[in-house]
Amino acid sequence: MDISFTGSSQVNLGRNGDVGFFSFGQNLNAKVCNLKNNSSKGCNFGKNQRLAWPLKSAFGFTLRASAIEAAEISKKASKITIKKPVDGVELYVGLPLDTVSKMHTMNQERAIAAGLKALKLLGVEGVELPVWWGIAEREVRGKYQWTGYLAVAEMVRKLGLKLHVSLCFHASKECKIPLPEWVSRIGKEKPDIFFTDRSGQHYKDCLSLAVDDVPVLDGKTPVEVYKDFCESFKSAFSPFMGSTITGISVGLGPDGELRYPSNHRPAKSNGCHGAGEFQCYGKYMLANLKKHAEKHENPLWGLAGPHDAPGYDQNPISSGFFMENGGSWETSYGDFFLSWYSSQLISHGHRILSLAASTFKDAPISVSGKVPLVHSWYLTRSHPSELMAGFYNTANRDGYKDIAEIFSNNSCKMILPGMDLSDEHEPLESHSSPESLFAQITSSCLKYGVEVSGQNTSVSGVSRGFEQIKNNLLDKNATVDLFTYQRMGAYFFSPDHFPSFAQFIRSLNQPTQRLDSLPVNHGDTVESLPDSNLHMQTA
């Protein structure tokens, strides 16, 4: 399958003109057809039969089909075999965050179907589907509604794609999906089930890790509730396990990541790149800290978090705790607190990964968890952003060995976002180095035999983002075996983006060529007209 581009507006697939792909015209008209002998038997989205991915939804974008004609991929096109790129790295694309509605139906079903057919023709291995706790177990504990998600799995199966599922035990402000209603009701009466910062503000988009084993959810612990959820999912989706569904990712915290919500309050627009705040001031977290301090015969150390730590809007290395030389982080107290704070996160990660691994141990699928790339302030000695987020990683200490070890002990894969980020595009004042942090984490994974799956941070609006992703995929030390591009939406299928994404896919099949030096086929082409009002979808 040969892909070539004439300028930025024409797309031609097939050395012999076998398969035409997309014509992106006004309103994102799309035409998928068989060009051999000038026929048009394939997917046809022509006049008034268009694939549209337009305006903003609650989280950024939603999908909308405008009188889409149901289409069938030609038999010849459906038999195309595309080799996996870059020594077997599998490529996936994330479905929209709101693929399934709160009413348990598929949002924009026809548009999603058309998008899946496009990805199939391009050679993408599969897609990733967010499954929300707040939707599937919305009203009553133990009452699950899988209808919408089962419909997605069936659609993916019929198209011959693979499916990775992300079990999301957090809320999403982007697409306005809260925690289950019954959990939120409990939270109103018992706000300490949430993370709490120094000012007493609660982070209500996920439960505090300090209540993992506390029966705060109608007599059950969060771990028990998560276990029941996973068991119900496994039972409902058993016909798809190992055939269509080949991987499960389990949510480990805010945005599904293993971390504290340390930076959930963005700094004010005063030019300051803050590092966040410690999230240890809830009743249950403080009780754990008190026990830890008493065990170490320093009860005064267990009364609260560090008194000299910065606030959200403060320069962290100007504070007493994170000062580059002579800061509290290098004292005995600093080591005491940071060791405890990070150990709580690691224990939580181990509990949830162990839960998922045991639940799906007899299913022929992989189990994963996501570790964030907290790269701001990485070039300082104290690494304040990482310490606030729960990773005890400094110039004197490798904080990711223990993280890699819990993934290894549970035979789980680690998902790392940020593969599109490069140091050259980070502001100097952030003291950031995503490349160095990515190398450090993957090095720990390599040491412990942990397989890595990669993701991007944005829908490559970052300059040279595709090139950076490719460099990371080609890095033999990174051991990345699967990459998921996040996420399908308006910008993804726009003329400004999709041709570049298609070039990126092809360049991975021919890794010796640069993205900007791909050959142009001047045979049959499908022309495109300019489009407007397209925005990037947030992941």
Side-chain angles (χ1 to χ4, degrees), residues 207-455:
L207 299 181
S208 169
L209 57 82
V211 298
D212 276 355
D213 293 320
V214 182
V216 293
L217 299 180
D218 290 340
K220 282 207 168 190
T221 70
V223 168
E224 290 172 335
V225 171
Y226 300 153
K227 178 74 171 177
D228 291 344
F229 186 91
C230 291
E231 291 283 5
S232 178
F233 175 87
K234 178 184 176 183
S235 176
F237 289 82
S238 59
F240 300 96
M241 291 290 182
S243 52
T244 299
I245 298 176
T246 56
I248 298 287
S249 170
V250 60
L252 300 175
D255 297 323
E257 299 175 334
L258 181 64
R259 62 176 173 87
Y260 290 100
S262 52
N263 215 7
H264 68 91
R265 274 182 54 190
K268 298 175 183 178
S269 55
N270 56 5
C272 174
H273 287 263
E277 283 191 11
F278 290 115
Q279 305 291 309
C280 61
Y281 293 90
K283 179 176 71 173
Y284 298 100
M285 284 292 287
L286 287 176
N288 290 344
L289 177 58
K290 181 181 178 182
K291 291 179 182 178
H292 186 67
E294 291 172 348
K295 181 179 178 180
H296 285 75
E297 300 181 351
N298 281 297
L300 294 179
W301 286 359
L303 299 179
H307 71 279
D308 54 352
Y312 293 106
D313 302 319
Q314 294 178 295
N315 183 316
I317 59 175
S318 64
S319 70
F321 193 83
F322 293 118
M323 192 180 301
E324 283 289 82
N325 295 293
S328 299
W329 65 277
E330 289 190 282
T331 65
S332 297
Y333 166 74
D335 180 66
F336 158 83
F337 176 80
L338 294 171
S339 295
W340 168 79
Y341 191 65
S342 64
S343 70
Q344 299 296 294
L345 185 70
I346 292 169
S347 295
H348 167 75
H350 173 70
R351 279 191 291 270
I352 305 303
L353 290 176
S354 177
L355 177 159
S358 63
T359 301
F360 298 104
K361 64 181 178 181
D362 57 347
I365 61 172
S366 64
V367 177
S368 307
K370 187 185 293 188
V371 174
L373 212 63
V374 188
H375 53 82
S376 294
W377 299 96
Y378 184 85
L379 297 178
T380 64
R381 294 185 62 244
S382 59
H383 295 216
S385 291
E386 291 166 88
L387 297 185
M388 293 283 203
F391 302 102
Y392 193 1
N393 189 57
T394 68
N396 307 327
R397 189 179 189 278
D398 184 350
Y400 294 97
K401 290 182 179 179
D402 292 339
I403 303 295
E405 187 175 10
I406 64 170
F407 278 81
S408 176
N409 290 343
N410 290 289
S411 300
C412 292
K413 298 174 66 172
M414 184 184 294
I415 299 172
L416 283 179
M419 287 186 65
D420 56 327
L421 302 180
S422 58
D423 292 1
E424 64 178 305
H425 295 107
E426 296 299 319
L428 292 177
E429 58 270 23
S430 71
H431 302 273
S432 176
S433 181
E435 294 180 44
S436 298
L437 180 54
F438 182 82
Q440 181 185 352
I441 298 175
T442 53
S443 176
S444 293
C445 289
L446 186 62
K447 179 180 179 180
Y448 285 92
V450 177
E451 293 182 340
V452 175
S453 297
Q455 292 182 358

Side-chain angles (χ1 to χ4, degrees), residues 68-323:
I68 294 181
E69 181 184 75
E72 294 182 359
I73 302 172
S74 66
K75 292 181 180 179
K76 187 166 186 177
S78 66
K79 293 180 180 179
I80 291 174
T81 300
I82 301 177
K83 295 180 180 178
K84 293 178 183 178
V86 192
D87 297 328
V89 175
E90 297 180 352
L91 295 173
Y92 281 66
V93 172
L95 291 170
L97 293 174
D98 65 349
T99 294
V100 173
S101 73
K102 296 177 183 178
M103 302 308 294
H104 313 295
T105 60
M106 283 183 63
N107 280 320
Q108 318 308 333
E109 181 175 350
R110 289 179 295 169
I112 290 178
L116 292 178
K117 291 172 184 176
L119 296 177
K120 175 67 175 179
L121 285 174
L122 190 57
V124 170
E125 185 81 10
V127 290
E128 174 264 342
L129 172 67
V131 172
W132 297 94
W133 185 24
I135 290 179
E137 195 181 0
R138 179 183 176 186
E139 297 177 352
V140 180
R141 179 174 64 79
K143 182 180 179 181
Y144 308 100
Q145 282 280 0
W146 302 113
T147 309
Y149 294 114
L150 285 167
V152 177
E154 180 62 20
M155 178 183 289
V156 172
R157 184 193 65 79
K158 286 182 177 179
L159 289 171
L161 291 166
K162 301 299 182 184
L163 182 64
H164 277 210
V165 174
S166 297
L167 302 180
C168 303
F169 295 117
H170 62 280
S172 172
K173 286 186 172 65
E174 288 84 356
C175 54
K176 296 183 179 179
I177 297 177
L179 293 179
E181 292 176 359
W182 63 273
V183 173
S184 297
R185 287 195 295 268
I186 294 172
K188 288 181 180 179
E189 298 179 3
K190 303 175 182 178
D192 281 307
I193 66 173
F194 302 119
F195 287 106
T196 311
D197 63 17
R198 186 165 51 190
S199 67
Q201 181 181 14
H202 300 292
Y203 176 81
K204 297 181 180 180
D205 286 349
C206 71
L207 299 181
S208 169
L209 57 82
V211 298
D212 276 355
D213 293 320
V214 182
V216 293
L217 299 180
D218 290 340
K220 282 207 168 190
T221 70
V223 168
E224 290 172 335
V225 171
Y226 300 153
K227 178 74 171 177
D228 291 344
F229 186 91
C230 291
E231 291 283 5
S232 178
F233 175 87
K234 178 184 176 183
S235 176
F237 289 82
S238 59
F240 300 96
M241 291 290 182
S243 52
T244 299
I245 298 176
T246 56
I248 298 287
S249 170
V250 60
L252 300 175
D255 297 323
E257 299 175 334
L258 181 64
R259 62 176 173 87
Y260 290 100
S262 52
N263 215 7
H264 68 91
R265 274 182 54 190
K268 298 175 183 178
S269 55
N270 56 5
C272 174
H273 287 263
E277 283 191 11
F278 290 115
Q279 305 291 309
C280 61
Y281 293 90
K283 179 176 71 173
Y284 298 100
M285 284 292 287
L286 287 176
N288 290 344
L289 177 58
K290 181 181 178 182
K291 291 179 182 178
H292 186 67
E294 291 172 348
K295 181 179 178 180
H296 285 75
E297 300 181 351
N298 281 297
L300 294 179
W301 286 359
L303 299 179
H307 71 279
D308 54 352
Y312 293 106
D313 302 319
Q314 294 178 295
N315 183 316
I317 59 175
S318 64
S319 70
F321 193 83
F322 293 118
M323 192 180 301

Side-chain angles (χ1 to χ4, degrees), residues 50-55 62-66 68 108 110-112:
R50 61 185 183 271
L51 169 63
W53 310 77
L55 304 175
T62 185
L63 309 180
R64 184 174 67 212
S66 298
I68 294 181
Q108 318 308 333
R110 289 179 295 169
I112 290 178

